[in-house]
Amino acid sequence: MGKKFLFLMGFVIMTITAKSQTQRIDSTAVFLLHRTGQTLQDIKSCSFTAITTYDVPNENLGLIKHAINDRVAIKFPDKMKITSSGDKGNRGLWYNGKKFNYYSFDNNTYGFTTAPGSVIETIDEVSKKFGIEFPGADFFYPTFLNDLLSEQGNLIFLGKTIVDGRECYHIAGSDKTKSFQFWIGSDDLFLPVKLVIIYTSDKDKPQYEAIYRDWTINTDYPDSMFEFTTPPKATKVKLAPRDNTK
């Protein structure tokens, strides 16, 4: 309630001085991201499309853009399905509350591992162990906003703008290693529309960008949708652990 009143009052900035650095935290930006988190914590299910581009350094050509198109469906607390196409190939991910399955449409190969009992725990474990990325995952963490603020950086509300045909609230921030921008839908749900991250601590300053489209909330998905069925003649492979030496 208090945050809502602050929001209605408009642009309010708190300035905090710590370790000889000035931290600017805008209460409107905090309110908006808090509302995004509230929506994503309260819903029973969702689906969306994530269109992601990211930079990969090339010794001769500099930064090269790559792209992935993901279709995501989640049924909380313990069901998820993702189908992906793009520069990392065509793949599918299924999580049914007990097992996480990976399937390559290009190679007709599959692998699986036992998984924790929730979507968030599975995303966390699988990404750390196998390096498998999940589009939009940060927004679903209950601690997303607190983690953002704990970096002792800046978080500023820049106003309204149009992104991908939608009116959005525009938020920008930075910390010691990166700058980032969020575009949040200016409706009752406050869902993410776009995210940009620039890794400023890297000499090449690579960028990550994601646009989130086609949000559907609280559809009653059948559990069978999240079960993986091995395709004919598919070959079983072992999921390779992430190489932490790189």
Side-chain angles (χ1 to χ4, degrees):
M1 278 110 34
K3 287 182 179 177
K4 183 176 182 181
F5 290 131
L6 284 173
F7 173 64
L8 293 175
M9 288 168 61
F11 190 60
V12 181
I13 295 179
M14 297 180 293
T15 302
I16 303 170
T17 302
K19 297 182 180 179
S20 301
Q21 293 184 344
T22 300
Q23 180 185 15
R24 301 180 70 203
I25 302 296
D26 174 8
S27 62
T28 302
V30 172
F31 169 81
L32 293 170
L33 291 176
H34 175 69
R35 288 299 304 269
T36 299
Q38 279 187 316
T39 295
L40 295 178
Q41 293 305 306
D42 288 345
I43 58 177
K44 296 178 180 179
S45 68
C46 69
S47 64
F48 60 92
T49 298
I51 302 169
T52 303
T53 59
Y54 58 95
D55 292 330
V56 175
N58 180 283
E59 185 176 347
N60 298 316
L61 301 174
L63 295 176
I64 301 298
K65 290 283 184 190
H66 292 265
I68 301 175
N69 191 317
D70 293 291
R71 183 60 185 168
V72 182
I74 303 174
K75 183 177 180 179
F76 294 101
D78 59 359
K79 303 284 188 294
M80 176 172 59
K81 177 184 177 182
I82 303 174
T83 53
S84 304
S85 59
D87 292 356
K88 289 188 177 181
N90 300 289
R91 69 180 188 183
L93 308 173
W94 288 260
Y95 165 64
N96 64 2
K98 296 180 180 179
K99 185 184 292 186
F100 175 83
N101 289 278
Y102 177 100
Y103 176 67
S104 168
F105 291 95
D106 298 319
N107 302 319
N108 197 23
T109 55
Y110 72 98
F112 64 86
T113 184
T114 56
S118 75
V119 168
I120 295 301
E121 289 175 310
T122 297
I123 288 174
D124 202 39
E125 181 173 300
V126 171
S127 60
K128 288 178 180 177
K129 189 172 182 179
F130 301 107
I132 296 174
E133 298 174 356
F134 296 85
D138 287 343
F139 292 108
F140 290 94
Y141 277 83
T143 60
F144 167 64
L145 180 55
N146 287 337
D147 291 343
L148 201 63
L149 297 174
S150 71
E151 294 296 328
Q152 297 187 354
N154 304 303
L155 192 65
I156 305 296
F157 172 58
L158 300 179
K160 286 186 177 182
T161 188
I162 304 295
V163 173
D164 202 31
R166 294 186 59 187
E167 185 180 72
C168 299
Y169 299 112
H170 188 189
I171 298 166
S174 63
D175 58 32
K176 295 178 181 177
T177 63
K178 61 188 176 295
S179 65
F180 45 85
Q181 297 178 65
F182 305 108
W183 288 261
I184 304 298
S186 62
D187 54 24
D188 291 338
L189 295 177
F190 299 88
L191 291 168
V193 174
K194 185 177 177 179
L195 164 68
V196 169
I197 302 173
I198 302 174
Y199 296 95
T200 52
S201 63
D202 188 301
K203 64 180 180 64
D204 294 318
K205 293 182 172 54
Q207 296 188 28
Y208 172 95
E209 178 178 314
I211 292 178
Y212 307 101
R213 294 175 176 167
D214 307 323
W215 282 94
T216 302
I217 301 297
N218 289 344
T219 296
D220 188 15
Y221 298 117
D223 288 350
S224 59
M225 174 178 169
F226 305 94
E227 297 290 344
F228 173 72
T229 301
T230 306
K233 300 182 180 180
T235 302
K236 181 181 175 182
V237 295
K238 185 177 181 180
L239 292 180
R242 183 177 189 172
D243 186 355
N244 292 317
T245 63
K246 293 182 179 181

